[in-house]
């Protein structure tokens, strides 16, 4: 225990109010003295106000960063974005301070606030869940404290009001911000508390933490136990995309095949077939009704007389409190086929905050591939989003292998049920934490050589061998940069010599592939889960590159992050985390425009690259031609008026049933096809300006596909892909040629994920040779979203003193021409 640290910082932004509390910890009595607290109406501005308010409260209370022993955060339920703002910021602060992060219920904080106000009796906290839904939790307030009676859940406001009508209690106390919307529904169900008690307070958060501490559920002084990476929000429901998917899969309508064989197809029809197999040839996706018979057959083979029949399995699908996943053997190079054999399944029931594992079965021929472990993690991941906090199951007393698996996942034996199974064998009751899915943070391209004593690349300097010294013998500044604009969580460390000491990325593509594109809500959730691990890995890799035992946040000179443009919910996570880390480490905070990052990606691996140049920036969300007069001096020459190039590739791949992401798979088939086979239109090729349009081309391809199917002809997928690619490339190259001639720029370069397309790269090589200009292309690993490019921009902004305040917010749009 660090005796120099004796304070806890607690805060919550789950609704329209920012609540912050500072408490003095007493380990001997497990008590927390509220030193200071504040509540501020945020009005959807939590991300801009939270850290300035924290800084102000700490200053007023005279509490320095180095005195904070623990961070406590309201983890919801509440506004999804609001909960993630608080949690991401808390993860950043706790990581930088190297202290534990404890999550407490936002609704518990409301209950404790009412208790502190001397309210006693039965209390209902009903919070706004949007979509005319509420989060209701019941408590008992006694002199001993606030005791939770029911688990977190979400329900329609009208339906819950009917429930209350059936259980009338005139002395029931009612609080919660849902009263602001639905007061007419609940005013007759009890006594409404004063509005000041409807939302979390700083003091309430501290009391909720104290109750958890005394119950043995946490220890504010135990940083190892409360690793910030493991703190997760409480949602109580799946994303809209996942809920709709469950409803669709519960219908036995051949949906898994995606209608690829039908005579008419829309681009969304095939999205359901987009799951892909991993390197071992196993694809995972929620169980669908079309495979109920396969589950029942495998049940009979592995469960014996305890097997469920088709009716029992089918009855599970579509239920809001059930989660079922399946594993299929499939070709990793192709989308999941309707004929792919089922090799495993798992299902669970979420009840009163516990995931009860109902079934886990794996084909004996496919065991020892980790299938059961992955299936359990997938089921648990969904159950966690439905409000589960623990997991339980029964296992045969003689099944040592299954018991070993569950023990490895953290389950412990709680008891025994005699003669539980049909053959009279006993069952062991096991309970444990929810198994987790960790997004792997992997290297993104080449970085500085990690051999002790030497760093390769431009600006290399001798450094102390690993273990001999922890003094960095390289150029300052050291900057950690974060990228989270879409579905990649990435982090990189760059030094003052421009050497990337680390560049790592965790991809979410497997979680989005089955939807045929990025689902913003899922992306935001996965960023929260991955961001600590990705940054930790970036620091560890950089430490090895620098020849030192570790690299800590306090060793950095600045933290940088993508703040615009992109999916705002995804950006919010990165921005809130980076601001929290910058505050915790007391170092400057730098923001970077994502598009400028793609321009700077051309510096990676080619240090002598410099403007002036014309840049073709082509990605899933952007298609631009940019004139770079100098670093920071950009003029957009032309942009798409509808779809971006990457978006068009994805939509064509979806229409063909080729899966997501579309760019790589379309390129693969295009290499085998005839680019002149189908005369697809070259939209705006002769428009006389440098704008682009991809919507008409996309429609032409889908129309061609539908006409071929209507005529009963088999699709020539390679020719379609090659002809589509040629139509895209012809326009891109023609416009680029015109831009070079218009500007007289001596260099042409690329940026964005589509810059990795081999046909496009080859066409640009030929065009530049013909025009006599230098061609610069970023490494393939630096074409897509990555943090290395953000670090490159951040280094220049650091040198220019372009630091940003901790009130900075994420922006969905960012004009490349406007300085920031």
């Amino acid at each position: 225990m660090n005796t120099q640290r004796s304070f806890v910082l607690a805060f919550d932004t789950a609704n329209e109010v920012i609540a912050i509390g500072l408490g003095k910890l007493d380990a001997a009595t497990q008590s927390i003295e509220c030193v200071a607290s504040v509540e501020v109406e945020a009005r959807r501005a939590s991300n801009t106000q939270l850290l300035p308010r924290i800084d102000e409260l700490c200053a007023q209370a005279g509490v320095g960063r180095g005195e904070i022993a623990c961070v406590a955060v309201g983890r919801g339920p509440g506004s999804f974005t609001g909960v993630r703002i608080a949690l991401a910021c808390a993860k950043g602060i706790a990581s930088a301070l190297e202290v534990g992060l404890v999550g407490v219920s936002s609704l518990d904080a409301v209950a404790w606030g009412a208790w502190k106000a001397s309210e006693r009796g039965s209390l209902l906290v009903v919070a706004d869940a949007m979509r005319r839904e509420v989060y209701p939790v019941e408590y008992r307030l006694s002199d001993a404290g606030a005791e939770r009676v029911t688990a977190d859940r979400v329900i329609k406001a009208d339906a819950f009001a009917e429930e209350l009508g059936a259980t009338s209690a005139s002395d029931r106390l009612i609080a919660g911000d849902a009263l602001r919307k639905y007061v007419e529904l609940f005013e007759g169900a009890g006594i409404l508390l004063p509005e000041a008690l409807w939302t979390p307070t700083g003091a309430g958060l501290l009391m909720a933490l104290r109750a958890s501490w005394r119950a043995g559920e946490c220890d504010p002084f135990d940083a190892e136990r409360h690793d910030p990476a493991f703190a997760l929000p409480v949602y109580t429901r799946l994303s809209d995309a996942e809920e709709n998917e469950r409803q669709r899969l519960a219908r036995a309508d051949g949906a898994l095949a995606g209608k690829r064989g039908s005579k008419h197809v829309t681009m969304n029809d095939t999205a359901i077939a987009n799951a892909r197999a991993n390197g071992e040839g196993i694809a995972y996706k929620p169980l669908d009704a079309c495979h109920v018979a396969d589950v029942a057959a495998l049940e009979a083979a592995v469960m014996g007389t305890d097997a469920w029949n088709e009716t029992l399995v089918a009855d599970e699908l579509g239920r809001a409190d059930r989660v079922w996943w399946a594993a299929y053997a499939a070709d990793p190079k192709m989308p999941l086929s309707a004929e792919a054999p089922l090799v495993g399944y798992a299902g669970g029931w979420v009840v009163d905050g516990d995931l009860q594992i109902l079934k886990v079965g794996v084909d004996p021929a496919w065991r020892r591939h980790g299938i059961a472990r992955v299936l359990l993690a997938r089921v648990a991941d969904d159950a966690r989003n439905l409000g589960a906090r623990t997991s339980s199951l029964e296992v045969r007393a003689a099944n040592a292998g299954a018991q070993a698996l569950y023990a490895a996942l953290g389950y412990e034996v709680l008891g025994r049920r005699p003669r539980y199974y049909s053959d009279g064998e006993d069952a062991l009751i096991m309970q444990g934490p929810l198994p987790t899915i960790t997004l792997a943070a992997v290297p993104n391209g080449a970085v500085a050589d990690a051999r002790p004593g030497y760093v390769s690349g431009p600006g290399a300097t001798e450094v102390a061998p690993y273990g001999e010294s922890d003094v960095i013998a390289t150029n300052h500044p050291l900057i950690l940069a974060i990228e989270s604009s879409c579905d990649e969580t990435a982090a990189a460390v760059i030094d003052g010599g421009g050497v990337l000491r680390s560049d790592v990325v965790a991809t979410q593509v497997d979680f989005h592939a089955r939807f045929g594109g990025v689902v913003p809500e899922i992306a935001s959730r996965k960023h929260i889960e991955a961001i600590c691990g990705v940054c930790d890995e970036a620091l560890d890799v950089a430490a090895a590159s620098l020849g030192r035992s570790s690299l800590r946040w306090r060793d950095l000179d600045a933290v940088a992050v993508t703040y615009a443009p992109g999916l705002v919910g995804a950006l919010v996570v990165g921005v809130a985390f980076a601001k929290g880390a910058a505050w915790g480490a007391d170092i400057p905070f730098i923001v970077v425009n994502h598009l400028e990052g793609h321009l700077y990606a051309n510096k990676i691996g080619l240090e002598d690259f410099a403007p002036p140049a014309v840049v073709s920036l082509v990605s899933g969300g952007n298609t631009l031609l940019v004139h770079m007069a100098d670093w920071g001096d950009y003029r957009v020459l032309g942009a798409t008026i509808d779809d971006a190039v990457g978006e068009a590739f994805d939509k064509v791949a979806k229409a063909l049933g080729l899966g997501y992401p579309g760019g790589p798979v379309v390129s693969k088939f295009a290499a085998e096809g005839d680019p002149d086979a189908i005369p697809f239109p070259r939209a705006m090729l002769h428009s006389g300006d440098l704008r682009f349009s991809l919507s008409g081309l996309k429609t032409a391809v889908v129309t061609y596909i539908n006409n071929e199917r209507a005529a009963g002809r088999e699709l020539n997928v390679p020719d379609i892909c090659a002809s589509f690619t040629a139509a895209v490339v012809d326009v891109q190259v023609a416009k680029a040629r015109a831009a070079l001639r218009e500007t007289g720029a001596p260099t042409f370069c690329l940026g964005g994920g589509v810059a990795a397309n081999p046909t496009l790269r080859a066409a640009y090589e030929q065009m530049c040779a013909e025009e006599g200009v230098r061609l610069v292309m970023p490494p393939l690993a630096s074409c897509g979203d990555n943090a290395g490019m953000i670090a490159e921009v951040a280094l220049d902004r650091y040198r220019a003193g372009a630091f940003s305040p901790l009130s900075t917010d994420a922006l969905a749009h960012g004009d490349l021409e406007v300085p920031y």
Side-chain angles (χ1 to χ4, degrees):
M1 183 187 303
N2 188 339
T3 56
Q4 300 302 313
R5 297 174 180 263
S6 58
F7 288 89
V8 58
L9 168 65
F11 51 89
D12 182 283
T13 60
N15 51 45
E16 292 296 314
V17 173
I18 295 173
I20 309 170
L22 272 172
K24 183 72 178 290
L25 298 165
D26 187 327
T29 61
Q30 292 186 325
S31 62
I32 304 175
E33 175 193 354
C34 181
V35 174
S37 68
V38 65
E39 293 77 46
V40 183
E41 285 284 345
R43 304 189 184 281
R44 297 187 180 274
S46 297
N47 207 19
T48 61
Q49 293 193 45
L50 178 57
L51 269 168
R53 295 287 185 177
I54 289 174
D55 199 47
E56 180 181 1
L57 190 66
C58 287
Q60 290 175 353
V63 176
R65 294 169 177 80
E67 297 179 88
I68 296 174
C70 173
V71 177
V73 63
R75 64 172 186 261
S79 158
F80 292 170
T81 299
V83 170
R84 284 194 287 264
I85 287 171
L87 197 54
C89 183
K91 282 174 178 268
I93 293 174
S95 295
L97 292 178
E98 299 176 2
V99 300
L101 173 60
V102 179
V104 299
S105 167
S106 300
L107 304 188
D108 287 1
V110 175
W112 278 103
W115 181 89
K116 186 175 185 296
S118 300
E119 299 292 346
R120 298 294 184 268
S122 175
L123 171 68
L124 168 66
V125 177
V126 54
D128 183 16
M130 311 299 288
R131 303 196 308 187
R132 293 200 61 80
E133 293 178 333
V134 294
Y135 303 116
V137 176
E138 296 178 24
Y139 298 85
R140 276 194 295 269
L141 306 184
S142 67
D143 290 342
E147 179 186 356
R148 177 184 277 252
V149 177
T150 59
D152 292 315
R153 63 169 174 151
V154 65
I155 184 173
K156 290 294 183 182
D158 291 341
F160 184 64
E162 289 183 15
E163 278 189 21
L164 290 181
T167 57
S168 178
S170 59
D171 60 345
R172 178 192 291 121
L173 307 173
I174 305 177
D177 69 329
L179 295 176
R180 293 174 176 173
K181 283 186 179 179
Y182 309 116
V183 65
E184 74 283 353
L185 291 178
F186 301 116
E187 58 186 354
I191 303 168
L192 304 189
L193 294 183
E195 189 169 353
L197 301 179
W198 290 0
T199 55
T201 63
L205 289 165
L206 295 174
M207 285 185 286
L209 176 65
R210 182 189 64 186
S212 180
W213 190 6
R214 291 179 173 176
E217 298 169 353
C218 74
D219 181 350
F221 290 103
D222 192 340
E224 183 176 353
R225 177 180 176 183
H226 300 295
D227 187 328
F230 300 139
L232 296 173
V234 174
Y235 295 116
T236 75
R237 66 181 175 215
L238 303 175
S239 67
D240 289 348
E242 290 166 312
E243 287 183 349
N244 293 335
E245 177 191 46
R246 294 300 195 278
Q247 295 173 10
R248 191 167 60 243
L249 292 176
R251 300 191 298 267
D253 59 359
L256 182 66
K259 303 183 182 180
R260 281 175 289 168
S262 68
K263 297 188 183 303
H264 181 80
V265 63
T266 68
M267 285 173 295
N268 290 321
D269 285 335
T270 60
I272 202 167
N274 286 328
R276 288 183 179 274
N278 60 19
E280 293 189 319
I282 304 167
Y284 298 91
K285 68 181 291 115
L287 178 64
D288 65 284
C290 294
H291 287 79
V292 165
D294 296 329
V295 171
L298 188 51
E299 268 276 288
V302 300
M303 299 295 179
T305 56
D306 293 298
W308 286 9
N309 58 31
E310 289 186 39
T311 301
L312 288 174
V313 176
D315 188 55
E316 291 288 302
L317 301 186
R319 293 195 178 195
D321 57 356
R322 302 296 205 275
V323 179
W324 284 80
W325 275 78
Y328 304 89
D331 181 355
K333 299 178 182 178
M334 294 297 296
L336 183 61
S337 165
E339 291 73 38
L342 180 135
V343 297
Y345 59 90
W349 176 23
V350 180
V351 55
D352 292 332
D354 184 67
L355 166 65
Q356 298 182 7
I357 301 296
L358 299 173
K359 289 288 182 178
V360 183
V362 176
D363 187 326
W366 282 86
R367 289 175 182 170
R368 300 193 180 283
H369 285 74
I371 293 175
R373 185 183 294 264
V374 174
L375 285 170
L376 284 169
R378 294 277 186 160
V379 169
D381 192 50
D382 286 348
R384 182 181 294 105
N385 288 335
L386 291 172
R389 309 260 57 87
T390 59
S391 178
S392 59
L393 53 86
E394 289 92 15
V395 59
R396 284 180 175 270
N399 192 341
Q403 292 170 35
L405 168 64
Y406 300 139
L409 294 174
Y411 288 82
E412 297 179 349
V413 176
L414 294 185
R416 178 183 292 259
R417 287 200 171 120
R419 304 183 63 81
Y420 178 76
Y421 294 100
S422 59
D423 59 3
E425 184 175 351
D426 292 355
L428 296 182
I429 304 168
M430 302 186 75
Q431 187 177 57
L434 294 171
T436 58
I437 298 175
T438 301
L439 297 182
V442 299
N444 185 61
V447 296
D449 194 328
R451 289 173 294 170
Y454 182 75
V455 176
S456 63
T461 59
E462 291 296 323
V463 299
Y466 179 87
E468 285 192 10
S469 172
D470 274 348
V471 178
I472 299 175
T474 191
N475 296 331
H476 279 273
L478 276 178
I479 302 171
L480 184 142
I482 297 168
E483 156 63 26
S484 69
S485 64
C486 191
D487 63 335
E488 312 282 13
T489 314
V493 174
I494 195 169
D495 72 9
V499 179
L500 281 175
R501 298 294 177 168
S502 64
D503 188 6
V504 300
V505 62
T507 181
Q508 307 172 8
V509 66
D510 288 347
F511 292 91
H512 300 280
R514 70 183 198 264
F515 300 103
V518 176
V519 179
E521 173 60 23
I522 294 177
S524 300
R525 295 185 181 195
K526 293 304 171 186
H527 283 308
I528 275 286
E529 296 172 16
I531 196 161
C532 282
V534 169
C535 289
D536 287 346
E537 180 69 8
L539 290 170
D540 288 345
V541 172
S545 171
L546 291 163
R548 57 181 288 160
S549 59
S550 67
L551 185 64
R552 305 160 78 177
W553 288 94
R554 68 187 67 177
D555 298 324
L556 301 173
D557 296 289
V559 179
V561 68
T562 301
Y563 85 109
L567 300 176
V568 70
L571 289 165
V572 157
V573 174
V575 170
F577 179 90
K579 291 196 300 184
W583 183 85
D586 198 16
I587 55 179
F589 172 64
I590 300 171
V591 298
V592 174
N593 184 302
H594 178 77
L595 300 180
E596 187 174 23
H598 278 302
L599 304 185
Y600 268 73
N602 289 276
K603 292 183 68 175
I604 299 176
L606 192 65
E607 291 297 318
D608 69 339
F609 167 68
V614 167
V615 186
S616 173
L617 204 165
V618 281
S619 67
N622 299 280
T623 298
L624 306 170
L625 274 173
V626 180
H627 180 232
M628 300 174 60
D630 199 354
W631 296 118
D633 184 359
Y634 315 120
R635 179 167 62 94
V636 176
L637 303 173
T640 179
I641 62 174
D642 39 58
D643 292 350
V645 170
E647 183 181 4
F649 271 90
D650 287 340
K651 289 181 177 178
V652 167
K654 189 182 290 188
L656 288 169
L658 298 180
Y660 173 87
V665 69
V666 169
S667 296
K668 172 182 173 292
F669 279 102
E672 304 168 1
D674 178 4
D676 299 318
I678 308 165
F680 289 132
R682 272 67 171 163
M684 300 189 74
L685 180 62
H686 305 293
S687 62
D689 57 31
L690 298 178
R691 295 180 300 160
F692 303 89
S693 173
L694 280 300
S695 179
L697 171 60
K698 169 204 67 182
T699 301
V701 174
V702 174
T703 300
Y704 175 85
I705 292 170
N706 289 334
N707 290 341
E708 290 296 289
R709 284 186 167 133
R713 290 188 289 268
E714 183 176 352
L715 295 177
N716 187 323
V717 175
D719 282 356
I720 294 173
C721 291
S723 299
F724 162 72
T725 300
V728 171
V729 169
D730 285 352
V731 176
Q732 292 296 313
V733 171
K735 301 280 186 175
R737 192 191 302 271
L740 285 167
R741 292 177 178 177
E742 177 183 309
T743 61
T747 304
F748 180 77
C749 54
L750 309 180
V754 184
N757 182 284
T759 304
L760 186 63
R761 290 170 82 98
Y764 280 141
E765 286 180 358
Q766 180 179 339
M767 183 270 291
C768 287
E770 293 169 354
E771 294 296 315
V773 300
R774 182 191 187 192
L775 173 63
V776 173
M777 294 187 288
L780 292 178
S782 301
C783 292
D785 294 346
N786 65 92
M789 66 186 191
I790 305 303
E792 294 279 0
V793 181
L795 181 58
D796 275 2
R797 291 183 66 78
Y798 181 94
R799 289 167 175 160
F803 305 139
S804 296
L806 297 181
S807 59
T808 304
D809 204 356
L811 300 175
H813 305 285
D815 191 336
L816 190 57
E817 295 182 332
V818 178
Y820 60 100

